[in-house]
Amino acid sequence: MHIAHVVGARPNFMKAAPVIAALKGFSGMTQILVHTGQHYDANMSDVFFRQLGLPTPDINLAIGSGSHAEQTAKVMLAIEQVFTEQRPDWVVVYGDINSTVAATLVSAKLGIRVAHVEAGLRSFDRTMPEELNRLVTDQLADLLLTPSEDGDANLRREGIPDERICRVGNVMIDTLVRLLPMATPPQGVELQSRYALVTLHRPSNVDEPQALTKLISALVDVSRHLQVVFPIHPRTRKRLADAHIDVQASNCFLLLEPLGYLQFLALQQDATIVITDSGGIQEETTFLGVPCLTMRENTERPITVTLGTNQLIGSDTDRLRNQVQRILQGQAKRGTIPPLWDGRAAQRIAAVLVGASGR
Ligand code: UD1
């Protein structure tokens, strides 16, 4: 059985690592890893390969940045050649990025079976590029590996037959469970006993200068009550510069470059509050029991709100200020860990894939 895994951007890497490792154990199994190169900076890509123990990609398509159409088209053109030469039995795609949908479209047209890890998540917000990627990927994939019950329900509602859906749990938590003992804060960073960890990169928060200015000014207010630690995504750095917002000038934030997996995990674990618009961080904070304030109107991961520590703040910066106060006064939301977020999702994925190859 020959499997091609396709990864492209930071949130893919921690999902692919445990699946590749779990599949290694099966005899007659060959695997290749294709990196599309959607993320290419050392601190957005290389450091993750090292820390997660991912094999060096067999193929790097080096497609880089660009408009959505450009990125998707470049991956499609390059990966068609790879799949035609390699003829994998399965292509495994992860998450919801442009590389995911591009690889899925090409595989489906070549008649190669596709397994989608993290299938079924829906924000029901079609202004998000990731939602479009999720919808198309799930329609075309042959095997939909979901992290939670809501994923199964969404897929059924879209008319996907039960035989294609398999709930395996949250594979990103596999990586978290394995690497938590190795998590170490970044060197040379002076953390206070209480701090808010902030990440922002969604177009809805950073692409519009007015929204970005409002958000930064709310974070300045937060910094009056506790330290604000802010590793800045390259996209956000560019948008701040374009909007002439000098986050350094105020001296209110501990600004950092994007961090490695182990460093960021350590910061999450000890944070008093996490403020984010990321998808994966909503899940990691739920697992860690850390209060998470999500700067989005909706989430494709509702289980982090119903069971976990996550709260949707939207773009309401007054609500952000109020919720920070509540948490500081000891009234943080408590949560539980969702079912099948147990560190063994990749083993279940491997078993399903190997079983499905006989069909
Ligand atoms: C992508 C994913 C998003 C995911 C995020 C995690 C899509 C549609 N979006 O968004 O779902 O949450 O990754 O980070 O696929 N850049 C660099 N160096 C890099 C990568 C990006 O400088 O290594 C800059 C480029 O200017 C680029 C911009 O960041 O234009 C945005 O990168 P891009 O890959 O287009 O999307 P992300 O916003 O990172």
Side-chain angles (χ1 to χ4, degrees):
M1 183 180 181
H2 187 41
I3 298 187
H5 302 266
V6 180
V7 295
R10 192 167 63 173
N12 286 167
F13 306 142
M14 40 290 229
K15 295 165 197 165
V19 178
I20 294 171
L23 283 165
K24 256 190 202 154
F26 289 89
S27 70
M29 174 73 62
T30 53
Q31 306 187 69
I32 59 161
L33 178 58
V34 182
H35 188 347
T36 66
Q38 181 175 336
H39 282 179
Y40 45 87
D41 284 358
N43 57 11
M44 296 295 283
S45 178
D46 302 1
V47 64
F48 289 86
F49 276 74
R50 267 199 317 278
Q51 295 188 346
L52 301 173
L54 268 168
T56 307
D58 299 277
I59 296 162
N60 192 325
L61 305 177
I63 63 122
S65 302
S67 70
H68 286 271
E70 209 178 332
Q71 260 185 347
T72 311
K74 277 187 180 163
V75 174
M76 287 181 72
L77 281 174
I79 219 162
E80 183 179 47
Q81 224 177 331
V82 174
F83 291 165
T84 306
E85 280 163 19
Q86 291 277 336
R87 275 278 147 194
D89 299 302
W90 281 97
V91 166
V92 184
V93 296
Y94 298 85
D96 55 16
I97 65 165
N98 288 339
S99 303
T100 310
V101 71
T104 301
L105 257 167
V106 171
S107 311
K109 293 209 173 187
L110 290 174
I112 299 170
R113 287 182 291 182
V114 180
H116 183 206
V117 174
E118 201 185 80
L121 300 187
R122 296 290 181 270
S123 64
F124 304 101
D125 174 0
R126 293 197 182 190
T127 65
M128 279 182 81
E130 293 82 3
E131 182 74 355
L132 303 178
N133 294 344
R134 289 189 282 261
L135 282 161
V136 175
T137 301
D138 286 343
Q139 276 301 320
L140 297 179
D142 300 274
L143 182 57
L144 298 159
L145 300 158
T146 63
S148 45
E149 207 282 324
D150 53 293
D152 301 24
N154 292 333
L155 295 172
R156 283 200 202 99
R157 203 177 319 108
E158 289 167 18
I160 303 217
D162 279 350
E163 311 84 80
R164 279 165 58 196
I165 306 170
C166 186
R167 197 185 319 156
V168 290
N170 191 326
V171 76
M172 209 181 55
I173 299 302
D174 290 18
T175 295
L176 191 157
V177 168
R178 178 170 70 94
L179 292 180
L180 196 56
M182 271 84 91
T184 30
Q187 279 185 346
V189 170
E190 286 190 29
L191 294 170
Q192 294 174 7
S193 60
R194 297 212 293 184
Y195 59 87
L197 178 63
V198 176
T199 81
L200 298 170
H201 74 281
R202 293 266 159 232
S204 58
N205 282 322
V206 305
D207 283 7
E208 168 53 48
Q210 255 185 335
L212 185 56
T213 306
K214 198 172 149 209
L215 197 44
I216 295 293
S217 105
L219 292 173
V220 168
D221 290 346
V222 171
S223 76
R224 300 203 173 96
H225 304 281
L226 81 169
Q227 186 184 29
V228 171
V229 182
F230 190 1
I232 304 193
H233 190 284
R235 176 195 192 93
T236 308
R237 194 173 281 287
K238 288 199 174 76
R239 296 295 183 256
L240 286 165
D242 294 347
H244 305 289
I245 303 172
D246 186 355
V247 273
Q248 239 143 5
S250 61
N251 232 348
C252 291
F253 308 137
L254 176 54
L255 297 173
L256 303 173
E257 289 297 313
L259 296 168
Y261 183 79
L262 296 174
Q263 286 66 43
F264 190 76
L265 189 53
L267 289 189
Q268 276 195 87
Q269 190 183 17
D270 286 337
T272 308
I273 309 171
V274 172
I275 300 170
T276 190
D277 57 12
S278 149
I281 293 170
Q282 296 172 51
E283 299 181 334
E284 289 170 343
T285 45
T286 275
F287 187 86
L288 295 168
V290 174
C292 180
L293 303 177
T294 296
M295 301 311 293
R296 287 175 46 188
E297 304 292 341
N298 49 53
T299 178
E300 62 289 333
R301 293 160 162 93
I303 204 162
T304 61
V305 177
T306 51
L307 293 187
T309 53
N310 190 21
Q311 280 179 270
L312 290 182
I313 303 297
S315 56
D316 184 346
T317 44
D318 285 335
R319 189 162 143 74
L320 173 66
R321 292 179 181 89
N322 291 338
Q323 289 306 321
V324 167
Q325 285 310 323
R326 283 180 65 97
I327 293 166
L328 291 177
Q329 287 156 11
Q331 294 167 45
K333 183 182 174 206
R334 303 212 188 284
T336 54
I337 297 176
L340 298 181
W341 291 26
D342 58 358
R344 292 198 297 273
Q347 284 169 31
R348 290 188 283 269
I349 291 173
V352 175
L353 265 174
V354 170
S357 71
R359 279 193 225 152

